[in-house]
Amino acid sequence: MENKIQLFEGVKVRYAWDEENEDWLFSIVDVVWALTDQPDLDHARNYWKVLKLRLKKEGNESVTKCNQLKMASWKDGKMYLTDVADQQQLFRLIQSIPSPKAEPFKVWMAQVASERIDEIQDPELAIDRGIEYYRKKGYGEGWIAERMKGKEARKALTDEWKRTGVKDNQYATLTDIITQEWSGFTTKQYKNFKGLKKENLRDNMTRMESALNTLAEVAATELSQKKNPSTFEQNKKVAKGGGHVAKIARDELEKQLGRSIVTRANAKGLKAPDDIHQIDNNKTEE
């Protein structure tokens, strides 16, 4: 893990990327210091110690069982174990801090929770909000349309997996099989290739990559409905078959275009033009 520093309410906060779990981890003491106006880190550490005991008495497991990670000390620069929290734990911690600086975060979290409840009652709201989100992020209308098709194809595929008895924790394995078959990368390798961490891979695909990914998942769904797999091993073969359909399409298109469809382009290069020729067309390293 590589430790870094960022500003949080004007105070420097240490954080690191957890490669295994694909999540950001933040120094709790630093965040407490930022939100409670403690005079120094020692006072912030005492504040966290008292708060941690209080939360433990209240039965809060998510925060009191935070992991520890070695981070460089503010005092001498040496590496010491310090309590760290992922984003979910951090939000729960902020809810427990009575501070004016924490209030904007609490208001925002309440708003998000309210929106999610509304979306559960009316799923169409989630679709509309998603489209508006992409527009605000600067994506073109053509890219958004392709992304919505991908979402529809993904939902149909997971519904089919559920029908054939695939467990939720097996979805990632099947997704990796499909993705690797047509792109040459597992999902994690693909994200690394594009320089991504927490970001959603599909939100960082070009329209062409997204179209091929959608083709692979639609093909896997159709093959599953025809072959009706009854075991996980059979589902893996079907997933590979779906990915292979997209691979054939990719190979033929690349032959005619003379360039790779799979690129390092991510959201930074996708937000504006719908013209796919304006993206980075680096060759993959397969």
Side-chain angles (χ1 to χ4, degrees):
M1 291 186 185
E2 180 185 357
N3 295 334
K4 296 182 179 179
I5 298 171
Q6 69 176 9
L7 290 179
F8 188 97
E9 289 295 310
V11 175
K12 291 180 179 179
V13 173
R14 293 165 292 176
Y15 68 102
W17 173 249
D18 183 347
E19 186 71 32
E20 182 177 350
N21 297 308
E22 295 190 347
D23 211 348
W24 291 107
L25 299 175
F26 300 84
S27 165
I28 294 178
V29 172
D30 294 353
V31 174
V32 168
W33 189 10
L35 292 179
T36 59
D37 283 330
Q38 298 299 308
D40 52 46
L41 194 61
D42 288 334
H43 283 81
R45 190 175 289 109
N46 290 332
Y47 187 103
W48 165 232
K49 183 177 180 180
V50 173
L51 178 59
K52 189 175 182 180
L53 288 174
R54 193 195 86 199
L55 292 173
K56 188 173 183 179
K57 288 180 181 179
E58 293 175 356
N60 186 311
E61 296 293 331
S62 64
V63 175
T64 56
K65 288 189 176 181
C66 293
N67 293 322
Q68 287 195 321
L69 179 67
K70 280 191 174 183
M71 290 186 163
S73 168
W74 291 117
K75 291 183 177 180
D76 57 19
K78 294 181 180 179
M79 304 296 286
Y80 297 100
L81 284 173
T82 185
D83 287 342
V84 293
D86 60 27
Q87 293 183 67
Q88 182 176 346
Q89 291 171 324
L90 196 62
F91 288 146
R92 179 63 187 90
L93 174 64
I94 291 172
Q95 289 174 332
S96 303
I97 296 178
S99 164
K101 286 189 175 181
E103 194 59 27
F105 293 94
K106 296 178 184 179
V107 172
W108 174 76
M109 284 186 280
Q111 179 184 346
V112 171
S114 177
E115 289 175 353
R116 294 300 173 269
I117 292 173
D118 289 343
E119 289 168 2
I120 291 173
Q121 296 172 337
D122 183 1
E124 190 173 342
L125 289 174
I127 297 173
D128 293 341
R129 192 168 282 132
I131 292 173
E132 188 58 29
Y133 163 80
Y134 287 127
R135 284 175 179 155
K136 288 181 178 179
K137 295 284 282 185
Y139 290 97
E141 293 299 319
W143 184 95
I144 294 173
E146 196 63 56
R147 184 71 174 91
M148 292 301 106
K149 290 177 186 176
K151 284 180 177 289
E152 184 179 347
R154 179 66 181 180
K155 177 65 165 57
L157 178 59
T158 54
D159 285 347
E160 175 62 16
W161 282 343
K162 189 175 298 184
R163 184 190 71 81
T164 59
V166 176
K167 297 180 176 59
D168 289 354
N169 61 4
Q170 296 174 322
Y171 287 8
T173 300
L174 295 180
T175 301
D176 269 347
I177 291 172
I178 292 173
T179 307
Q180 186 165 30
E181 182 63 23
W182 77 261
S183 73
F185 294 134
T186 63
T187 303
K188 189 171 184 178
Q189 290 170 342
Y190 208 157
K191 290 179 71 172
N192 288 338
F193 179 69
K194 284 181 173 286
L196 307 175
K197 292 189 181 296
K198 188 72 173 176
E199 302 93 332
N200 186 302
L201 174 60
R202 294 164 195 256
D203 286 352
N204 288 272
M205 287 183 173
T206 65
R207 288 179 63 184
M208 197 66 72
E209 287 173 305
S210 182
L212 286 172
N213 195 61
T214 298
L215 173 60
E217 296 195 327
V218 169
T221 302
E222 293 291 328
L223 288 171
S224 179
Q225 291 172 348
K226 178 178 176 58
K227 297 185 177 183
N228 199 30
S230 58
T231 67
F232 186 53
E233 288 303 313
Q234 290 175 350
N235 269 288
K236 285 162 68 172
K237 290 180 180 178
V238 170
K240 186 176 179 67
H244 190 67
V245 171
K247 183 181 187 305
I248 293 173
R250 176 192 169 187
D251 290 345
E252 180 60 30
L253 185 56
E254 288 183 342
K255 187 186 301 181
Q256 296 192 39
L257 292 176
R259 61 179 174 82
S260 177
I261 297 301
V262 176
T263 78
R264 294 185 186 275
N266 54 38
K268 291 180 180 178
L270 300 176
K271 296 174 183 177
D274 276 332
D275 183 355
I276 61 172
H277 297 293
Q278 296 186 41
I279 63 174
D280 172 16
N281 287 319
N282 290 331
K283 295 281 186 180
T284 58
E285 298 164 4
E286 300 176 52

